[in-house]
Structures are given as structure tokens and as C-alpha cells.
Amino acid sequence: MNRETSKNLFERAQKFIPGGVNSPVRAFRAVGGSPVFIKSAKGPYVYDEDGNEYIELINSWGPMILGHAHELIQKAVSDAVQGSFSFGAPTRREVEIAELITSMMPSIEKVRMVNSGTEATMSAIRVARGFTGRDKIIKFEGCYHGHGDSFLIAAGSGAITHGAPDSPGVTKGVASDTLTAPYNDLNAVQQLVDANKGNVAALILEPVVGNMGCVLPEPGFLEGLRRICDEEGIVLIFDEVMTGFRLSKGGAQQRFGIIPDLTTMGKIIGGGMPVGAYGGKAEIMNWVSPLGPVYQAGTLSGNPIAMAAGLAMLTYLNEHPEVYTTLEASGEKLTNGFKNSIAKLGLDYTVNHIGSMFTLFFTNQTVTDFPSAKSSDLPAFGKYFHAMLDQGIYMGPSQFESMFLSTALEDQHINRIIEANEVALKASLNS
Ligand code: KE4
């Protein structure tokens, strides 16, 4: 495939943009080579600046659950832009999306719109700290909650030691208030809680992880966290930026039947526009300014164009439950095809999958946490990624990401991805 224009754009980009991208994962550093610059997309396809067509499995890292340029969402945005772009004043659509979100996710009694998943998670832990009067939070290794300082924390060395900054610029002071535990390890959580009795404000997790690759909660894990948080007065926060409105109409919390105190959202709720949100129990959310003392604000929060896109998206998902049966079937078909090829080639790789999220891990370990995810053969994944790309299949350029299916994928596309997967697996075996 000729990708000269993308290469030239990347050279230009690196002169004025750190790493040539506005978000690190896009730079292909985990897989090598030069990133593809996307010019447009439609349905299951993305088109790069050289006119190459790809069937895609990123879908903007989750938002494009209905495929690209869905006519309903396009129309909602084109109608909205006629009335200007932003007012910095309350609007009807913000009321309507709040009503819709709280009806689709009943654990959310009140919700605040923001502009990204990062803003949502930063704000959620702030209000949890304000509500409880406590300072510490617990997060899990391998879970990503955006680039807020409190989340860029490496695992502490022992069960009761504090986190250490995982990025320059994050202070030791901030890091000392973030405790980390291995995902799926309830005992480690209990130890942290016992060692910090009465000091933990919140526990935040991806109820299904996308950000170490797709990793599912073990049976009893979410229930155990709910029990511990109830016993200790800790605010349980489900970061559903990825899983919200994807794993079911009511997200992971509906699918697993575990109710958090707060939920953070993003991606799908903006229909591809910059939107995040946090919400949950009214007794907690009532602490948010201007009703309560916990300050949080945003010039473009509830932006009318973004709300138009998000409303169109959520309204469609709310009125078309068949979306989820379609995605379940597509996920089953695709990952079964992957598993068949893995077996046929005598490989023992792991495929983690739930609904329309999946990751093919280049490891023979069962992947239930960050260490097992990190046992994957990254050079082999890099070869696989490029072999898929050269066959016109556009996947996330990192082993530690979930892939996302959209309803725009039809059998013909899934069959093509399965065929390309087998070719790419063979290519990844060549040294
Ligand atoms: P944003 O600030 O990127 O909108 O959301 C942060 C965030 C929070 N919580 C979860 C569970 C998330 O997955 C994310 C963002 N996801 C990544 C995908 N790994 C976005 C892609 C990127 O960083 O470019």
C-alpha cells in the first residue's frame, strides 16, 4: 500500500506537534512505522490521505458504535450548526441529554456534562473526596482513566505502600493519595482499605478494562468491590467511558448487575464529538457547584453541537435495542473466527472478548490483569498489526488496547477480517 502522503504529513506534523500527534497512541510507537493519516470515513470504512480504504476496528476508540457518518447523527449536527456553535448559557439539549442518560443508566440520578473522559474522572474523584472528606483513592494497575494527575500513578511496591508518579510533572504529594491494586485482586483491595482505614474516598475502575487490552472482571470481583465500598463508606466509581452504552444500553453496570455510586462516561455519549460526563447518586452529585461546594466548570461543557450529536446517538441506541444483539452476534462471529485460525495454526494465543469489545493477546497466559497482559509478545504483535494494515484492516496500534465493533460491520466485512487475521498471524510468526 502506498502511504506516501501520510508519511509526508507525519514529517510536517513532527515539526510543530509533540510526536506529530495530538494523542500519543496515534503515533504508532508501539508497533513501529509511520501513522496513517485519516481523511474521511463512512460506515465500517476509513480512508487515508492516499486514498487507501480500510475496514476499521478502532471506531475512534469507541464512539463510532453505529459506524462512521451515520445519517441521523450527521443530520443532527448539520441542523444544529445553523444556530451557531456555542453560547456559554444553558440550552434545551442539555436538559434532554441529562433526562436521557438518567433514564438509560438508572444509577445516575444527577449528571454533569464535561468535555472529555479525563475531565469526567478528575471531577468524579474530586466530588467523592469532597463528599467523604477523605483524601485517598484506589485504582487498579492497567486501568486508564485519562491523564489526570491522580491517575498517572505507578503501582506501589507493596500492598500498603503509596503510588509513585508514573509521569514527570506528577508530584509525590498527588501520588501519595493514590493507592493501586492488581485488577481482579480483592484481597489486595482489602489490604489497602485496612491499611488506610477511614481515609479512602473512592475506588475507581474500568468494570471491563479496555486499556490494558480487553480484560474482564473475574466472577465475584465487582460484587466484592461493592461489598467493601459499602462496608467502608467508600464511593464506588465505574469508569464507563468505554463500556457505557456499548456493553448494553445501560453499560457494564446493567450487564453485570452491579450498581456504582458514580459513573464516568465519554466517547459514545458525544457521538464522536468531544463530550464526557459524570453522574450518580444525587446525595453525592448535590455537592457539585453551584448547588454544592465542590467546584467544577467548563466553557464548552454541554456544547450545543456536541449535545446534538450525543442526543442523536443516545436516542438511537435507546430506541433500537437490536443494536446490541447485532453487536453481540458480530463479536461472537469475529472472535470465533480468530480462535479457529489460532487453533489451525497451532498457536496458543488468548482472545478476551465481551460483546463488541475484544483483544487478541500474543500470549499463552490467561489474561486477567496487567502482568499477564504484559506477557504478550509485542514484536510479534507489531508484525501482526502491520500485516493487517497492509491487508486493509485498521486495528488499534497497541497490544494494550481493546478493539471496538460497530453495527456498520456486515458479514462480508467480518469474513474479510477473519481471513486477514489468519494471514497476519502467519506473517507474525516469521522472524
Ligand atoms: P479522554 O480524556 O481521552 O476522552 O478519556 C480518557 C479515558 C477515561 N477512561 C477510560 C476508560 C478511557 O478509555 C479513556 C480514554 N481511552 C483511550 C483509549 N485507550 C483514548 C485514546 C487516546 O488516548 O488517544
Side-chain angles (χ1 to χ4, degrees), residues 79-395:
D79 289 351
V81 297
Q82 306 311 317
S84 187
F85 287 73
S86 181
F87 316 118
T91 63
R92 169 190 296 273
R93 290 191 188 95
E94 292 165 88
V95 181
E96 291 169 350
I97 205 168
E99 291 168 342
L100 187 52
I101 287 172
T102 53
S103 74
M104 292 172 79
M105 268 194 190
S107 72
I108 298 176
E109 296 172 339
K110 286 197 175 176
V111 62
R112 167 62 60 86
M113 305 310 292
V114 292
N115 301 283
S116 69
T118 294
E119 266 196 271
T121 55
M122 282 168 57
S123 308
I125 61 166
R126 182 183 304 141
V127 72
R129 285 169 162 156
F131 174 71
T132 60
R134 301 174 182 178
D135 293 342
K136 306 238 183 266
I137 65 164
I138 293 174
K139 76 173 288 289
F140 293 89
E141 296 146 37
C143 285
Y144 175 70
H145 304 293
H147 64 86
D149 282 4
S150 293
F151 304 116
L152 299 181
I153 305 299
S157 55
I160 56 172
T161 55
H162 300 304
D166 203 16
S167 162
V170 175
T171 67
K172 290 189 180 62
V174 166
S176 69
D177 283 334
T178 298
L179 310 168
T180 59
Y183 198 76
N184 277 317
D185 187 339
L186 275 177
N187 292 333
V189 172
Q190 191 62 62
Q191 283 180 31
L192 286 176
V193 167
D194 293 343
N196 296 274
K197 209 77 178 165
N199 286 326
V200 179
L203 182 149
I204 185 169
L205 77 155
E206 295 178 61
V208 167
V209 188
N211 288 289
M212 57 174 121
C214 181
V215 172
L216 278 65
E218 298 275 273
F221 181 57
L222 298 180
E223 293 84 347
L225 295 178
R226 181 67 275 174
R227 173 182 51 76
I228 292 171
C229 288
D230 287 340
E231 287 167 356
E232 304 288 339
I234 294 171
V235 176
L236 178 59
I237 304 173
F238 275 10
D239 180 355
E240 294 225 39
V241 166
M242 263 188 190
T243 57
F245 313 102
R246 173 169 284 279
L247 290 187
S248 81
K249 191 166 85 162
Q253 57 194 266
Q254 175 184 314
R255 192 172 181 125
F256 288 92
I258 303 295
I259 305 304
D261 302 308
L262 293 179
T263 301
T264 54
M265 295 155 277
K267 297 182 190 281
I268 286 172
I269 67 170
M273 297 287 280
V275 178
Y278 65 104
K281 286 180 175 170
E283 67 172 321
I284 301 174
M285 291 301 291
N286 288 343
W287 278 69
V288 178
S289 175
L291 182 58
V294 177
Y295 196 69
Q296 183 269 311
T299 303
L300 297 174
S301 295
N303 171 273
I305 315 305
M307 294 297 99
L311 259 178
M313 170 68 88
L314 291 179
T315 301
Y316 188 90
L317 295 176
N318 193 40
E319 294 173 356
H320 294 81
E322 70 276 10
V323 162
Y324 298 102
T325 43
T326 301
L327 292 171
E328 292 296 315
S330 298
E332 276 301 312
K333 180 179 169 76
L334 188 140
T335 52
N336 287 338
F338 275 38
K339 290 171 186 170
N340 292 342
S341 295
I342 289 167
K344 185 175 161 190
L345 296 172
L347 298 170
D348 52 6
Y349 295 154
T350 292
V351 176
N352 282 1
H353 157 239
I354 179 169
S356 59
M357 293 174 67
F358 76 94
T359 298
L360 164 53
F361 287 100
F362 280 61
T363 179
N364 61 3
Q365 290 191 28
T366 304
V367 180
T368 58
D369 58 15
F370 202 28
S372 47
K374 285 194 287 188
S375 71
S376 301
D377 180 343
L378 301 186
F381 176 82
K383 290 187 198 126
Y384 168 84
F385 170 84
H386 282 286
M388 289 290 265
L389 195 67
D390 292 342
Q391 296 178 87
I393 310 298
Y394 188 61
M395 302 182 77

Side-chain angles (χ1 to χ4, degrees), residues 15-31:
K15 292 194 185 81
F16 304 109
I17 307 169
V21 291
N22 285 311
S23 199
V25 71
R26 303 175 188 171
F28 275 26
R29 287 183 174 241
V31 293

Side-chain angles (χ1 to χ4, degrees), residues 59-78:
N59 284 297
S60 181
W61 302 102
M64 313 314 282
I65 191 171
L66 300 178
H68 287 283
H70 190 282
E71 62 276 3
L72 275 178
I73 299 169
Q74 301 287 108
K75 183 174 184 325
V77 170
S78 57

